[in-house]
Amino acid sequence: MTDNIPASDETARVEAAAQETTREGTGALAVLNSSVGRNAGLVVALVILCVVGAATAGDRFTSTDNALTILRYAATIGVVSVGMTFVIIGGGIDLSVGAILALSSVWCTTLATQQMAQDSTWLVMVGVALAVGAACGLVNGLLIAYGGVVPFIATLAMLASARGLAEIISNKKTQIVQVPEFIDFFNKEILGVQISIYVFALVAIVGWVLLNRTTFGRRTIAVGGNPEAARLAGINVKWHTVMLYVLLGVCCGIAAVLLIARTSTGSSTHGLLYELEAIAAVVIGGTLLSGGRGTIVGTVFGVLIFSILTNVFVLNNRSQSEQQLLKGAIIVAAVLLQQRLASRNSST
Amino acid sequence: MKSIRNRFGVTLVAGLSVLALGACTGNDSGDDDKKLGGGTSQADSGSNDEAGDKVVIGFSAPAADHGWMGSITESAKKVAEQYDDVELRVADGTNDVSLQISQVETFINDGVDAIVLLPFDGAAMTPVALKAMDAGIPVINVDREFDDPNAARVTILGDNYGMGVSAGAYICSQLDEGADAVVAEIAGIDSLPLTQDRSQGFEDALSECGQDVDNRVAAEFTVESGEKAAGNLLQAAPKIDFLWNHDDDQGVGVLQAIKNAGRDEFVMIGGAGSANAMRDIQADNTVLKATVIYPSTQAADGIKLARLLVQGKALGDLVEVEVPRTVQLYAPVVTKDNVDQFIDTAFES
């Protein structure tokens, strides 16, 4: 496959390697399998949820304030999920996102960091959060790509140790942010919408462009779909894998900043079980857990579906246990659907 | 190759969703005869319990992952049901601060009359509580305090420091003068201020009679964590005279570990006051001889105060015409002698 492409044209080779894994059936099947088809399913699910919400809770669901409440809740987990999409498309998995978020939130709210922020600018805290996230991602990536540790194990180790380190740094206490500029900035409203929601939107847009309009995105798809073909096409698969985990680490840093702004605290208990939430959102968004295919739009829909589901349950005074049950069912349904699509793919 | 990895992916997701489902353990604080008092049905005319204006109360608490916390929500619901004029909206328990914040935001959007809030993390819930107060909705802060006094109209607290003091004082009362006892402590979640307060009170009371804590471990309020922590502690300390365990939920695991190790040379004191622990104290056939109460009915008290507050009524038996700012509950020691008095309001773990 790669032989008949001129060796000089790197982009073309990457494209070819990527296409090898995304080639799909023709005709009606193609429509079903295309990202448009899959997102249509998500739109339907979202519309059904909204109809249920509006029918059961009326104005309380449809009000602008409620929409903003949903979006503010979706923002933190959404940013993590966008990063997670890249890692999963690249053939990996990351179980440590919640722990990285906690570590990042703690590190950037220590007295020393806050003192530095007070002496200069609150952006120091943002910088620290992103740097901590990126560093954790780098460790994950290096262990996986160069250490040969499978992603599941490497990030499981990070899950344990990052939260442990967060507990050591914070001495298991909740750290309160004394830099009002930091909190105020993210809670500021532009056109009635908080900055934190814009941050989520920005991350999603940048993620979409990165995945669909850049070589980095095409390489990610190639690496996840068929690492060997990607390597033959001249992609530095190992380094690319490292970069994917760093990208997710940075996303965790951004999410930490949003959560700190929302709670005015950093804590080693922040981000509990976010790995499950993020992976679930990515999976129901239509990203294949085996890698090689996935969409940012789908992930954003996945995050919104879960956030709206939570909101509708709260509005209707229903227990979260029922919601967990329904969530589990939705995940299983999404995976079964994926499996069918995958098996149809391999038979055509 | 591809299909194998696919299958791995499916198994992973299925496994993760089972984990997520498994995370919510059942809590049944059953006992319907529990005397929580009050209610419109038995109200004398002119009393505070007499039906008044309709009050909509929003309620949010952490996940019911141990019996005490399960009982918090159960008893709040039970009390709300006794009043015809109370509509309770319960946002089901969560340990995700971000989700708990959005629950409170939903209450604010709804324009409820009052919010009763037991925060997973008091400091983290402060901004949204302030937002509710700014919107004119009184917030009743239960158990875990906000870090800004303006964020709550009423604060209802158990006495964590007092629990430690009661447990320590009980040990002192059991000691021969001048003896040096080996005292061990199994704490709850160390990151919570409540655990730090309990330990501080324990230390202070013990120092009154010249004792100190020789071995200390922390568990997480769950049976499993209690068993693990106690197992390690018993290994570390070959001979113990007194053991204070902060929490009777984790105490189920602690007692199991003690049984497995075949140890009975010490006296154990529990904490929080579960019905389980009280039955053991009553039967007097384990090392557990006493427990220190931390009422699991505080949120129920919060509902009652919220109702009075919104209806503009005063707290009966006080001269003061407004509902007080802070209510702190007492932490009595329960032993075989007085257990009958407390067992009815104890929670099932």
Side-chain angles (χ1 to χ4, degrees):
Chain A
M1 181 72 209
T2 49
D3 299 335
N4 46 20
I5 292 167
S8 57
D9 191 353
E10 210 251 35
T11 317
R13 277 184 286 129
V14 173
E15 285 290 323
Q19 265 162 22
E20 183 152 351
T21 63
T22 52
R23 181 171 299 161
E24 282 159 1
T26 49
L29 258 184
V31 178
L32 190 66
N33 287 350
S34 72
S35 68
V36 178
R38 239 176 297 134
N39 286 339
L42 290 169
V43 173
V44 171
L46 204 59
V47 169
I48 292 174
L49 256 179
C50 290
V51 169
V52 171
T56 53
D59 294 347
R60 297 169 56 218
F61 178 79
T62 51
S63 73
T64 319
D65 283 340
N66 191 49
L68 292 175
T69 298
I70 294 172
L71 287 175
R72 272 195 297 269
Y73 174 57
T76 332
I77 195 72
V79 170
V80 175
S81 302
V82 168
M84 184 69 88
T85 311
F86 277 88
V87 164
I88 293 181
I89 292 178
I93 191 91
D94 192 338
L95 302 179
S96 62
V97 287
I100 295 178
L101 191 157
L103 178 59
S104 203
S105 82
V106 164
W107 203 313
C108 102
T109 52
T110 55
L111 284 179
T113 317
Q114 291 203 40
Q115 192 59 51
M116 265 163 68
Q118 270 164 349
D119 292 345
S120 49
T121 155
W122 58 269
L123 286 167
V124 171
M125 292 172 66
V126 176
V128 169
L130 300 193
V132 170
C136 291
L138 185 67
V139 173
N140 273 341
L142 289 176
L143 279 175
I144 291 160
Y146 293 96
V149 184
V150 292
F152 193 97
I153 302 299
T155 57
L156 195 64
M158 179 60 79
L159 176 154
S161 40
R163 211 174 278 283
L165 183 55
E167 286 174 358
I168 292 170
I169 293 176
S170 64
N171 197 16
K172 291 194 170 184
K173 294 200 169 86
T174 301
Q175 301 178 154
I176 298 162
V177 176
Q178 312 285 6
V179 186
E181 298 87 353
F182 178 94
I183 309 283
D184 291 347
F185 176 80
F186 288 97
N187 291 321
K188 208 182 290 164
E189 290 180 358
I190 298 176
L191 302 172
V193 179
Q194 277 178 325
I195 299 275
S196 56
I197 297 175
Y198 287 108
V199 172
F200 172 37
L202 190 67
V203 168
I205 291 167
V206 169
W208 187 87
V209 171
L210 198 58
L211 184 65
N212 298 304
R213 293 286 180 269
T214 67
T215 319
F216 183 87
R218 301 305 288 166
R219 283 183 182 170
T220 305
I221 293 168
V223 166
N226 189 339
E228 188 55 23
R231 193 183 64 80
L232 290 174
I235 299 172
N236 187 341
V237 173
K238 289 187 173 179
W239 186 243
H240 192 83
T241 304
V242 173
M243 285 293 98
L244 289 177
Y245 284 94
V246 171
L247 179 72
L248 176 50
V250 171
C251 285
C252 293
I254 298 172
V257 169
L258 295 184
L259 197 55
I260 292 166
R262 189 167 156 80
T263 62
S264 77
T265 61
S267 162
S268 57
T269 59
H270 280 351
L272 283 176
L273 295 182
Y274 272 32
E275 52 280 357
L276 296 185
E277 302 254 342
I279 294 170
V282 171
V283 166
I284 69 161
T287 297
L288 283 186
L289 263 182
S290 50
R293 193 164 44 158
T295 68
I296 297 293
V297 179
T299 297
V300 171
F301 274 120
V303 171
L304 289 179
I305 285 175
F306 281 147
S307 311
I308 294 176
L309 189 70
T310 304
N311 181 258
V312 170
F313 269 73
V314 173
L315 286 176
N316 284 308
N317 224 352
R318 299 312 294 254
S319 92
Q320 215 195 348
S321 317
E322 294 169 0
Q323 185 198 328
Q324 297 276 34
L325 192 66
L326 192 58
K327 249 186 187 177
I330 292 176
I331 295 170
V332 171
V335 174
L336 286 178
L337 191 67
Q338 268 195 17
Q339 239 178 348
R340 286 178 74 96
L341 292 177
S343 66
R344 275 190 199 173
N345 249 1
S346 51
S347 61
T348 46
Chain B
M1 176 68 194
K2 183 141 191 163
S3 79
I4 291 171
R5 285 197 302 162
N6 257 337
R7 210 170 303 146
F8 166 71
V10 172
T11 322
L12 174 64
V13 167
L16 290 173
S17 43
V18 168
L19 273 181
L21 287 169
C24 38
T25 46
N27 274 293
D28 180 24
S29 54
D31 203 358
D32 281 327
D33 311 327
K34 204 179 273 183
K35 289 198 180 74
L36 294 166
T40 3
S41 49
Q42 316 124 9
D44 300 329
S45 70
S47 76
N48 266 346
D49 284 341
E50 196 184 14
D53 297 337
K54 176 108 181 148
V55 181
V56 181
I57 300 172
F59 175 76
S60 173
D65 46 17
H66 53 281
W68 185 87
M69 196 57 92
S71 171
I72 279 283
T73 305
E74 283 299 314
S75 48
K77 280 183 185 165
K78 215 166 280 171
V79 160
E81 272 164 24
Q82 291 170 3
Y83 289 96
D84 300 335
D85 52 358
V86 170
E87 182 191 333
L88 190 67
R89 296 197 181 151
V90 184
D92 211 58
T94 176
N95 288 350
D96 175 1
V97 282
S98 183
L99 177 57
Q100 199 175 20
I101 289 173
S102 76
Q103 291 175 342
V104 175
E105 284 174 344
T106 302
F107 292 144
I108 300 172
N109 294 342
D110 281 359
V112 296
D113 298 316
I115 296 171
V116 177
L117 183 60
L118 200 171
F120 175 68
D121 178 331
M125 293 301 290
T126 305
V128 78
L130 279 169
K131 201 167 134 189
M133 292 287 281
D134 284 347
I137 302 171
V139 177
I140 289 85
N141 181 197
V142 180
D143 188 41
R144 300 178 188 173
E145 262 182 295
F146 299 135
D147 66 341
D148 182 340
N150 298 317
R153 165 63 181 80
V154 184
T155 305
I156 300 177
L157 302 166
D159 190 1
N160 285 301
Y161 181 82
M163 266 179 87
V165 170
S166 293
Y170 176 77
I171 289 176
C172 285
S173 74
Q174 301 292 306
L175 265 179
D176 302 328
E177 213 161 314
D180 185 26
V182 179
V183 179
E185 181 185 3
I186 300 179
I189 300 175
D190 250 343
S191 59
L192 300 175
L194 68 92
T195 298
Q196 294 149 17
D197 290 347
R198 287 177 192 184
S199 288
Q200 190 59 50
F202 190 51
E203 207 183 303
D204 292 352
L206 284 178
S207 68
E208 292 284 311
C209 61
Q211 301 295 324
D212 56 5
V213 179
D214 298 280
N215 294 83
R216 183 181 186 281
V217 289
E220 282 152 19
F221 293 143
T222 60
V223 175
E224 192 190 343
S225 68
E227 199 274 336
K228 198 168 127 194
N232 288 327
L233 177 82
L234 294 173
Q235 284 296 324
K239 189 189 168 295
I240 299 173
D241 295 307
F242 292 97
L243 168 67
W244 183 41
N245 167 49
H246 284 208
D247 181 79
D248 287 337
D249 280 317
Q250 66 187 32
V252 175
V254 171
L255 276 172
Q256 192 55 45
I258 292 171
K259 212 166 155 192
N260 291 346
R263 300 275 290 264
D264 60 358
E265 82 278 13
F266 54 85
V267 168
M268 174 173 159
I269 298 119
S274 76
N276 234 351
M278 290 194 195
R279 280 191 289 268
D280 280 345
I281 292 167
Q282 210 166 27
D284 196 18
N285 54 9
T286 64
V287 292
L288 187 65
K289 301 297 178 207
T291 189
V292 191
I293 291 195
Y294 192 77
S296 67
T297 47
Q298 341 187 351
D301 287 332
I303 303 290
K304 285 196 167 202
L305 290 186
R307 174 178 167 274
L308 294 183
L309 199 60
V310 174
Q311 292 180 343
K313 292 174 180 165
L315 195 58
D317 295 338
L318 292 189
V319 180
E320 169 62 33
V321 292
E322 288 281 356
V323 172
R325 187 87 171 71
T326 308
V327 177
Q328 186 161 37
L329 307 165
Y330 183 60
V333 179
V334 178
T335 62
K336 200 182 167 198
D337 302 329
N338 63 358
V339 63
D340 298 334
Q341 195 185 330
F342 294 98
I343 200 158
D344 286 342
T345 51
F347 63 93
E348 295 289 342
S349 47

